[in-house]
Amino acid sequence: MASLKKFLEKKSYTKVPLILTSTNHFEIVAKINGATGRFILDTGASNTCVGFDKIEFFGITTKESKIKAAGAGATNMETLISTKNHIEIGAWQKNKAKIVLFDLVHVNEALTAHKTLPVDGIIGADILKKAKAIIDYNKRYVYLKQSK
């Protein structure tokens, strides 16, 4: 039987390494609008998110949003929305990607309390679904399908 890697490579998937943190989260390196950042890979997050403090760093243009964010013990958080962003994860790319922006201080405080570095954002299920992601938890890779 062929390995998962070989099988998925034949199906036009690209392999991206995951970093397991001391908090048992997987982190991934991604680029947004050409700037490289560190992100938690979160299958339970409905949207890809970036912290308010990284708007300028990633060159993000924002709009008002009625969406309220919740997660990691915080609820009813104000958000902004951004569209038409370019996201790269390994060799996988997406134009016109939507990003939700909110205050990630509570997330990063929890990470640093466990001696893990803070992150710039979260790669959520929206991107993972578009990329037809397959996560190999054992070998610590995510496979993303290249669009044709």
Side-chain angles (χ1 to χ4, degrees):
M1 181 175 185
S3 72
L4 179 63
K5 175 187 169 192
K6 288 180 183 176
F7 175 78
L8 292 174
E9 285 174 350
K10 286 180 184 175
K11 301 286 184 184
S12 300
Y13 277 80
T14 184
K15 179 174 88 168
V16 181
L18 298 171
I19 301 143
L20 185 64
T21 69
S22 62
T23 57
N24 226 15
H25 290 97
F26 278 125
E27 285 184 5
I28 193 165
V29 174
K31 285 185 182 181
I32 296 178
N33 302 326
T36 303
R38 295 175 53 254
F39 297 83
I40 290 174
L41 186 76
D42 189 348
T43 60
S46 54
N47 294 296
T48 294
C49 307
V50 168
F52 284 145
D53 61 330
K54 297 296 180 175
I55 291 172
E56 189 174 314
F57 178 77
F58 288 115
I60 295 172
T61 303
T62 63
K63 300 176 195 173
E64 293 294 317
S65 171
K66 293 182 182 180
I67 298 169
K68 298 289 184 188
T75 59
N76 211 27
M77 295 180 290
E78 296 295 323
T79 66
L80 295 172
I81 192 90
S82 179
T83 56
K84 299 180 183 171
N85 295 285
H86 180 77
I87 296 181
E88 295 176 51
I89 303 172
W92 182 87
Q93 298 182 38
K94 171 76 176 143
N95 288 316
K96 299 180 184 174
K98 180 181 87 170
I99 296 173
V100 174
L101 297 108
F102 71 100
D103 190 351
L104 284 176
V105 168
H106 67 287
V107 171
N108 283 324
E109 283 176 352
L111 292 172
T112 56
H114 289 89
K115 300 190 180 8
T116 298
L117 293 173
V119 294
D120 300 310
I122 298 164
I123 300 296
D126 57 340
I127 293 294
L128 298 173
K129 287 190 316 189
K130 283 181 182 134
K132 298 181 180 176
I134 297 171
I135 300 171
D136 183 340
Y137 287 92
N138 187 45
K139 295 205 169 128
R140 299 182 186 168
Y141 288 102
V142 62
Y143 293 87
L144 307 171
K145 184 152 179 77
Q146 299 284 13
S147 33
K148 295 179 179 166

